[in-house]
Amino acid sequence: MKQQKVIHGGDIFQAARRTGLSPEDIVDFSGNINPLGIPEGLKTFILDRLDTLGHYPDMEYLALRTALAAYAGCSADQVMVGNGGVELLSLLFRAQRPKKALIPSPTFNEYERDLNLLGVEVVPYRLKEELDYDLDLEGLLSAFEPGIDLLILCNPNNPTGRRISREVLLSLLDYTREHRILTLVDETFIEFVKDISASQVVTLLPQYMNLVVLRGFSKFFALPGLRLGYMMADPSVLQWMYRYKEPWTVNSIADAAGAFLVSDQALFQTYREWVLKERAFLYEKLSGFPRLKAYESEANFFLIKLLHTDMTASDVKEHLEGKGLLIRDLSSFYYLDPSYFRVAIHTRENNLALLEGLTEILQPA
Amino acid sequence: MKQQKVIHGGDIFQAARRTGLSPEDIVDFSGNINPLGIPEGLKTFILDRLDTLGHYPDMEYLALRTALAAYAGCSADQVMVGNGGVELLSLLFRAQRPKKALIPSPTFNEYERDLNLLGVEVVPYRLKEELDYDLDLEGLLSAFEPGIDLLILCNPNNPTGRRISREVLLSLLDYTREHRILTLVDETFIEFVKDISASQVVTLLPQYMNLVVLRGFSKFFALPGLRLGYMMADPSVLQWMYRYKEPWTVNSIADAAGAFLVSDQALFQTYREWVLKERAFLYEKLSGFPRLKAYESEANFFLIKLLHTDMTASDVKEHLEGKGLLIRDLSSFYYLDPSYFRVAIHTRENNLALLEGLTEILQPA
């Protein structure tokens, strides 16, 4: 059985060991940033519920699933919760046992790691640099070679930040439904897009039995330490996954906090407004660097390519790490050469520190 | 692939749905009870660390593993942490791929569920009622039929509460080492035994490469909602398991809380003294019922058999559930007929309520 070592972003602990800095002194542009810190309301809420640690969580997570369904626009029986998206991806693949997966790439590495563990063949479809890594329907349709029974779409895509258009999505769902190809749409970053309702596909679940949607709390709510993700699909699809599911993988704090967070409309609006404003600011500034190309993004990060320089992303990373700024080198991704890196949108103060660090290393000769 | 529905104790949410009571009004004798509630020190500690939810946990969980190693008497590289024992059992079995497992029974059902999922043959070894379900070395040794490559010992055993003697344990470990049989000792309840140092086998890891030890925080620390277990073995055994392990299955709160709890000697002593005292009290009272046999226990629960009555454990359970007292019917366990049930040790007030409820239904005709 083949196994790849996947390098994850956001590991401030490893960065700390590398640099000798303490984890608190590292500004993480590689992961997910909550600009406002943990909401005070959530802290109070958790404190009031610490006694729930003394029970096993509700094995059915009924309250949590009901809250998530109301938030995402489906019914509770279409929702399964898990220990981050990682658990749910693994369960989906173990339950469905696909043989061959088509995956527009570059994209999130974990899909391939999980599929490899199960011996599933992965066919990467090369997203075109000349299209700014947007998904082209015709190209992808021509890539459906015989035997493909799984399509994975990350929307908006990590690490490119690009969104798939509604037309392309619907055409693909029609095609895969007709050909009985399971289609996973990873909406981990969906709350960051400009027009959520025109981008999400959860409400299409009743029409597409072959559709599975993944979301979580690590990115938009910026709580990766909570370990909470959820998958939405027809109950018959989830039923197969439950056969493999271990009980209680979401702990009591995450159980309670998840329901609390998706019920807080004001928090949602505040986060959205902050991200959209800061994204516009950072995009404008990054676009001013003659030696960089920043791809316009509908996520909370930017794919960036180094131009007109012998420097690699690794050089940039090393320089910034010396200043306690952790970015994501993308050399482990398909079709991205060593000139690509990714930065997340951070607080204004830290964004300015990043821009300053980039100016130092990229100033005109 | 075969799959069993395993009924777990401690599901107050299902009991609440069944009885129409609210979960808070159910006294759970089926699970694990923290008599003191969540320690105040832990509450403060968690509150101070809520910001860690904003990062992924340390993928290596180095601080936590170091604390656990110091607590259990081994080294950090001999420790793997996981989302409760459930995750670690599954990883161990998936990594080791045993063919045939010998399991003294009745015991914890989850071993068999996991092994069945992987197509492993399970050979239950019948613990003898006439020996009060103590493990007899000679009988077990004669049960090692050809092909057995895994032995699972729960010590003290769930649901019998019986401890395996040091001599029997050492003889078994010698035998399995010689015959290259992986031996899992589940020490989930080890902190409840009278003499821990003479009962635990963690310190024997350097001598027995075939030994794996499982522990967790759900029972003694009574924090099943935390979802934190740990497995101890030779690093080479853990290395195989890491190939299958999903990252970050322990959330940030559990990561911090685990290290805190095992470092608190005073808390450990307080819990121990309380359990040992209350266990003696409850055993004495239960032994006074002519229609019950309570087995002497080194865990935080009692195996109980109904005597001289047509009533079943299910009748007793129903009667007690009407009073908001949830006990564990053991009919789903090997070799236990419908006259067996299990009760955990609770607070004095609740133990008295249980005794009263038992008196009502078991009073002499």
Side-chain angles (χ1 to χ4, degrees):
Chain A
M1 206 168 277
K2 197 179 141 195
Q3 157 75 2
Q4 280 174 279
K5 178 89 182 165
V6 172
I7 301 152
H8 288 277
D11 198 337
I12 54 168
F13 298 94
Q14 284 183 3
R17 288 191 275 267
R18 232 169 16 234
T19 56
L21 292 168
S22 112
E24 296 80 42
D25 293 336
I26 291 177
V27 181
D28 184 14
F29 287 92
S30 79
N32 338 277
I33 295 87
N34 184 330
L36 311 169
I38 310 295
E40 281 306 313
L42 179 62
K43 286 191 182 181
T44 310
F45 182 82
I46 289 178
L47 187 66
D48 287 347
R49 271 153 196 83
L50 285 183
D51 284 328
T52 63
L53 290 172
H55 311 293
Y56 284 92
D58 177 7
M59 208 186 293
E60 298 181 26
Y61 294 100
L62 194 57
L64 176 58
R65 289 190 300 115
T66 302
L68 292 171
Y71 170 74
C74 62
S75 62
D77 66 349
Q78 290 172 319
V79 181
M80 174 184 279
V81 297
N83 191 276
V86 188
E87 180 197 355
L88 296 164
L89 284 173
S90 166
L91 280 175
L92 176 70
F93 299 153
R94 282 160 67 196
Q96 292 282 334
R97 290 270 161 191
K99 301 230 172 350
K100 204 191 234 185
L102 182 62
I103 309 181
S105 304
T107 194
F108 183 49
N109 279 333
E110 191 74 28
Y111 312 132
E112 184 165 5
R113 171 186 182 267
D114 277 6
L115 291 168
N116 279 339
L117 267 176
L118 294 168
V120 181
E121 185 183 345
V122 170
V123 180
Y125 170 73
R126 183 176 196 135
L127 293 167
K128 296 184 175 65
E129 184 179 354
E130 60 270 28
L131 297 179
D132 282 356
Y133 297 102
D134 273 344
L135 188 59
D136 60 315
L137 179 63
E138 236 174 281
L140 183 61
L141 284 178
S142 70
F144 276 95
E145 52 184 77
I148 282 170
D149 51 6
L150 172 64
L151 172 66
I152 301 182
L153 303 171
C154 186
N155 188 38
N157 189 30
N158 174 13
T160 66
R162 307 298 290 182
R163 189 177 71 89
I164 305 171
S165 81
R166 193 75 176 169
E167 298 71 28
V168 169
L169 259 180
L170 290 175
S171 300
L172 282 170
L173 283 171
D174 285 338
Y175 179 89
T176 55
R177 180 177 57 186
E178 187 186 333
H179 292 81
R180 297 165 186 268
I181 294 165
L182 184 71
T183 301
L184 168 66
V185 180
D186 182 346
E187 293 191 348
T188 293
F189 297 95
I190 199 74
E191 284 106 335
F192 295 113
V193 304
K194 279 203 198 81
D195 187 344
I196 297 179
S197 62
S199 305
Q200 60 80 26
V201 291
V202 174
T203 51
L204 300 177
L205 283 173
Q207 286 107 282
Y208 296 96
M209 292 274 293
N210 64 318
L211 172 61
V212 175
V213 184
L214 178 67
R215 292 195 187 178
F217 283 78
S218 295
K219 310 300 175 183
F220 180 71
F221 290 103
L223 294 170
L226 203 55
R227 308 311 301 135
L228 178 58
Y230 53 110
M231 196 168 259
M232 291 165 288
D234 188 82
S236 64
V237 174
L238 300 182
Q239 209 47 54
W240 275 100
M241 293 167 62
Y242 276 117
R243 295 166 68 100
Y244 294 85
K245 190 155 173 54
E246 291 165 4
W248 313 300
T249 59
V250 172
N251 87 354
S252 299
I253 301 292
D255 185 8
F260 175 88
L261 288 164
V262 294
S263 307
D264 189 338
Q265 279 293 330
L267 183 75
F268 181 86
Q269 287 306 335
T270 308
Y271 277 11
R272 286 262 304 166
E273 279 161 25
W274 174 82
V275 168
L276 269 60
K277 178 165 158 257
E278 208 59 28
R279 183 165 69 198
F281 168 78
L282 196 54
Y283 181 65
E284 191 205 319
K285 294 297 180 191
L286 288 169
S287 300
F289 282 81
R291 289 188 179 175
L292 293 182
K293 167 164 184 165
Y295 291 81
E296 199 162 7
S297 169
E298 291 228 28
N300 66 329
F301 52 78
F302 289 100
L303 174 69
I304 299 176
K305 182 178 188 176
L306 290 164
L307 303 173
H308 323 300
T309 170
D310 292 338
M311 267 190 299
T312 63
S314 171
D315 299 325
V316 176
K317 181 179 177 179
E318 199 180 330
H319 174 76
L320 293 172
E321 206 167 88
K323 306 167 70 74
L325 309 173
L326 178 61
I327 65 165
R328 182 75 161 91
D329 175 357
L330 297 175
S331 54
S332 64
F333 284 74
Y334 273 113
Y335 310 131
L336 294 183
D337 65 39
S339 65
Y340 286 90
F341 60 98
R342 191 187 68 199
V343 297
I345 295 160
H346 218 290
T347 58
R348 177 64 58 96
E349 181 191 355
N350 287 327
N351 290 337
L352 290 171
L354 175 76
L355 292 166
E356 190 183 305
L358 287 172
T359 303
E360 286 166 11
I361 194 168
L362 293 168
Q363 60 199 345
Chain B
M1 207 168 279
K2 197 180 142 196
Q3 157 74 1
Q4 279 175 282
K5 177 88 183 167
V6 172
I7 300 153
H8 288 276
D11 199 335
I12 55 168
F13 298 94
Q14 283 182 3
R17 288 191 276 268
R18 229 165 24 229
T19 56
L21 294 169
S22 109
E24 295 82 41
D25 292 335
I26 291 178
V27 181
D28 184 14
F29 287 92
S30 79
N32 339 277
I33 295 85
N34 184 330
L36 311 169
I38 309 295
E40 280 306 313
L42 179 61
K43 287 191 182 180
T44 310
F45 181 83
I46 289 178
L47 187 66
D48 287 348
R49 271 153 196 84
L50 286 182
D51 285 329
T52 61
L53 291 171
H55 311 292
Y56 284 91
D58 177 6
M59 208 185 293
E60 298 181 26
Y61 294 101
L62 195 57
L64 177 58
R65 289 191 298 115
T66 303
L68 292 170
Y71 170 73
C74 62
S75 63
D77 66 349
Q78 289 172 318
V79 181
M80 173 185 281
V81 297
N83 190 277
V86 188
E87 180 198 354
L88 297 164
L89 284 173
S90 167
L91 280 175
L92 177 70
F93 299 153
R94 284 159 67 197
Q96 292 282 335
R97 291 271 160 190
K99 301 228 172 351
K100 205 192 234 185
L102 182 61
I103 310 181
S105 304
T107 193
F108 183 50
N109 280 332
E110 192 74 29
Y111 312 131
E112 184 164 5
R113 172 187 182 269
D114 277 5
L115 292 168
N116 278 338
L117 267 177
L118 294 169
V120 181
E121 185 183 346
V122 170
V123 180
Y125 169 74
R126 184 176 197 138
L127 293 167
K128 298 183 176 64
E129 185 180 351
E130 61 270 28
L131 296 179
D132 282 356
Y133 298 103
D134 273 345
L135 188 60
D136 60 314
L137 179 63
E138 236 173 279
L140 183 62
L141 284 178
S142 71
F144 277 95
E145 50 183 79
I148 283 171
D149 50 7
L150 172 63
L151 171 67
I152 302 182
L153 302 171
C154 187
N155 189 37
N157 189 28
N158 175 13
T160 65
R162 307 297 290 180
R163 191 178 70 89
I164 306 170
S165 82
R166 193 75 177 168
E167 298 71 27
V168 169
L169 260 180
L170 290 176
S171 300
L172 282 170
L173 283 171
D174 285 340
Y175 179 89
T176 56
R177 182 177 56 188
E178 187 186 334
H179 292 82
R180 297 166 185 266
I181 295 166
L182 184 71
T183 301
L184 168 65
V185 180
D186 182 346
E187 292 191 346
T188 294
F189 297 95
I190 199 74
E191 284 106 335
F192 295 112
V193 305
K194 280 202 198 84
D195 187 345
I196 297 179
S197 63
S199 305
Q200 60 79 27
V201 291
V202 174
T203 50
L204 300 177
L205 283 172
Q207 286 107 282
Y208 297 96
M209 291 275 292
N210 63 318
L211 172 62
V212 175
V213 184
L214 178 67
R215 293 194 186 178
F217 284 77
S218 295
K219 310 301 175 183
F220 180 72
F221 290 103
L223 294 170
L226 203 57
R227 310 310 301 134
L228 178 58
Y230 52 110
M231 197 167 258
M232 292 164 287
D234 188 83
S236 65
V237 174
L238 301 182
Q239 209 46 54
W240 274 100
M241 293 169 61
Y242 276 117
R243 294 165 69 99
Y244 293 86
K245 191 156 173 50
E246 290 165 5
W248 312 300
T249 59
V250 172
N251 88 354
S252 300
I253 301 291
D255 185 9
F260 175 87
L261 288 164
V262 294
S263 308
D264 189 337
Q265 279 292 330
L267 183 75
F268 181 86
Q269 287 306 333
T270 307
Y271 278 11
R272 286 262 303 165
E273 279 161 26
W274 174 82
V275 169
L276 269 59
K277 180 165 156 258
E278 208 59 26
R279 182 165 69 197
F281 167 78
L282 196 53
Y283 182 65
E284 191 204 320
K285 295 297 181 191
L286 289 169
S287 301
F289 283 81
R291 291 188 175 175
L292 292 181
K293 168 164 181 163
Y295 290 81
E296 200 163 6
S297 170
E298 291 228 30
N300 66 330
F301 52 77
F302 289 101
L303 174 69
I304 301 176
K305 183 179 187 177
L306 290 163
L307 303 174
H308 322 303
T309 171
D310 292 338
M311 267 189 302
T312 63
S314 172
D315 299 325
V316 175
K317 181 179 175 179
E318 200 181 327
H319 174 75
L320 293 173
E321 206 166 90
K323 307 166 72 72
L325 308 174
L326 178 62
I327 65 165
R328 181 76 159 93
D329 175 359
L330 296 175
S331 54
S332 64
F333 283 75
Y334 273 113
Y335 310 130
L336 294 184
D337 65 39
S339 65
Y340 285 89
F341 60 97
R342 192 187 67 200
V343 296
I345 295 160
H346 218 291
T347 58
R348 177 63 59 95
E349 180 192 356
N350 288 325
N351 290 338
L352 290 171
L354 174 76
L355 293 167
E356 190 184 304
L358 287 172
T359 303
E360 287 165 11
I361 195 169
L362 294 170
Q363 60 199 347

